Amino acid sequence: MANQVFPTKGNLIATKKSLELAYLGYDLMDKKRNVLIKEMMNLLDDVKLIRDDITDSYQKAYYALQEANMSLGIISDIVEAVPIDEGLSVTYRSVMGVEIPKVSYEKTPLRLGYGFERANSKVDYAYRCFYHVKELTVKLAEIENAVYRLANAIRKTQKRANALQNISIPEFERTVKFISESLDEKDREEFSRQKVIKTQKNKQERLKKEQGLE
């Protein structure tokens, strides 16, 4: 890039401006990356806790389902009587330009949608266990999606920061150095040329004076 830029004062000013913007861009990328990493690390702690909780809850729920099946036979017809939950809604909040989902779950009252003559306490217990699993799944989906978005944004931000730090900034610095050195060399050449002209002029004036005296 440096060798392709014509060394003029205008190009030097423009390149210095680009260099300043590259430094500013890197600082912004670095700050954004740090904020996103901090946000993600806070969520990762929650992910671990919820995963541990949901693993235990799933085991308990499936064991309860097995107990219900053993007591009544396969209860798929009872399961079909459970109402569809439509209490979910998604909004977003922005963290350094990254849209983080916020899943709102309007909990519906725990209603048993099947008749008591078709079920027993074991079925009721399994239903309550899976109801709890559903609540945890909603929360886990929200956090894992947020972590995925943050991790993806961190990767892109890191890539841009590296490009600025390792490619753009060094290239602009080399160009500034090239133009500055070229202009300095031109100034030295111009100074030397002017000095030679002045010396020759003085010599000519001295010769004229000497000829006039003769």
Side-chain angles (χ1 to χ4, degrees), residues 8 17 38 41 44 52 63 66 98 105 126 130 136 142 149 165 177 210:
T8 64
K17 184 64 176 178
K38 183 178 180 181
M41 294 306 295
L44 286 175
D52 292 342
Y63 179 77
Q66 289 177 354
V98 181
Y105 177 45
F130 276 101
L136 292 175
E142 173 190 310
R149 288 171 179 249
Q165 184 181 35
K177 181 180 179 183
E210 291 176 356

Side-chain angles (χ1 to χ4, degrees), residues 15-33:
T15 305
K16 285 184 175 180
K17 184 64 176 178
S18 297
L19 179 59
E20 290 177 3
L21 291 175
Y23 277 126
L24 178 60
Y26 174 77
D27 288 340
L28 291 175
M29 290 295 103
D30 190 51
K31 290 177 182 178
K32 178 179 180 179
R33 177 187 55 192

Side-chain angles (χ1 to χ4, degrees), residues 16-176:
K16 285 184 175 180
K17 184 64 176 178
S18 297
L19 179 59
E20 290 177 3
L21 291 175
Y23 277 126
L24 178 60
Y26 174 77
D27 288 340
L28 291 175
M29 290 295 103
D30 190 51
K31 290 177 182 178
K32 178 179 180 179
R33 177 187 55 192
N34 291 334
V35 170
L36 294 179
I37 289 175
K38 183 178 180 181
E39 184 76 17
M40 188 177 72
M41 294 306 295
N42 291 335
L43 290 175
L44 286 175
D45 293 337
D46 294 336
V47 168
K48 185 179 184 307
L49 292 174
I50 294 178
R51 279 180 176 172
D52 292 342
D53 193 2
I54 203 171
T55 297
D56 295 339
S57 297
Y58 261 115
Q59 290 177 348
K60 183 185 296 184
Y62 278 115
Y63 179 77
L65 180 61
Q66 289 177 354
E67 290 288 308
N69 282 329
M70 290 174 61
S71 66
L72 291 176
I74 303 300
I75 60 172
S76 57
D77 57 331
I78 297 178
V79 172
E80 292 176 356
V82 176
I84 297 175
D85 194 336
E86 299 180 347
L88 293 176
S89 61
V90 181
T91 57
Y92 295 88
R93 62 186 178 90
S94 180
V95 178
M96 299 297 289
V98 181
E99 295 297 311
I100 304 300
K102 174 67 177 176
V103 180
S104 299
Y105 177 45
E106 185 178 347
K107 297 180 182 179
T108 56
L110 187 61
R111 295 190 301 269
L112 305 180
Y114 45 82
F116 289 103
E117 70 280 358
R118 300 168 58 196
N120 57 25
S121 61
K122 292 184 181 296
V123 174
D124 294 345
Y125 178 68
Y127 180 66
R128 289 185 172 86
C129 286
F130 276 101
Y131 188 88
H132 179 60
V133 167
K134 177 178 62 179
E135 294 175 333
L136 292 175
T137 302
V138 169
K139 188 63 178 176
L140 182 61
E142 173 190 310
I143 296 177
E144 285 192 332
N145 188 276
V147 169
Y148 171 80
R149 288 171 179 249
L150 288 168
N152 191 44
I154 290 169
R155 179 182 60 79
K156 291 180 178 179
T157 303
Q158 181 68 58
K159 185 177 180 180
R160 291 170 183 167
N162 288 343
L164 287 169
Q165 184 181 35
N166 300 323
I167 300 175
S168 298
I169 290 176
E171 193 63 45
F172 285 133
E173 288 176 339
R174 284 193 293 268
T175 301
V176 168

